[in-house]
Amino acid sequence: MAQVSKDMIIYDILQIDANLAPVLMSAGMHCIGCPSAQGESLEEAAMVHGLNPDELVSTLNEYLATKAN
């Protein structure tokens, strides 16, 4: 099973599973389609949006684990 880390580029995270986009958007990260998502890490984007990157990583990995089961 793939895992997400906070140093991963948002674009690469979405390549793991496109259904992670709604998870990110529901957390308040609505910029996943913007050009900076092509080169910005999850941690960098979280900081810009005032989000806790560790909580985001946990939420994304929980989603992937649930989907794998």
Side-chain angles (χ1 to χ4, degrees):
M1 174 184 72
Q3 289 272 304
V4 172
S5 65
K6 63 184 176 184
D7 64 328
M8 291 179 72
I9 303 300
I10 293 172
Y11 176 82
D12 294 334
I13 292 170
L14 296 175
Q15 296 305 303
I16 293 171
D17 187 331
N19 291 318
L20 291 172
V23 177
L24 288 168
M25 290 175 34
S26 70
M29 194 172 292
H30 301 280
C31 66
I32 58 171
C34 75
S36 64
Q38 301 294 317
E40 193 170 46
S41 73
L42 181 63
E43 183 173 33
E44 292 167 332
M47 291 172 64
V48 168
H49 292 282
L51 303 170
N52 182 324
D54 295 318
E55 288 178 10
L56 270 176
V57 167
S58 178
T59 300
L60 294 169
N61 285 327
E62 285 174 19
Y63 169 83
L64 291 172
T66 301
K67 187 173 178 182
N69 292 330

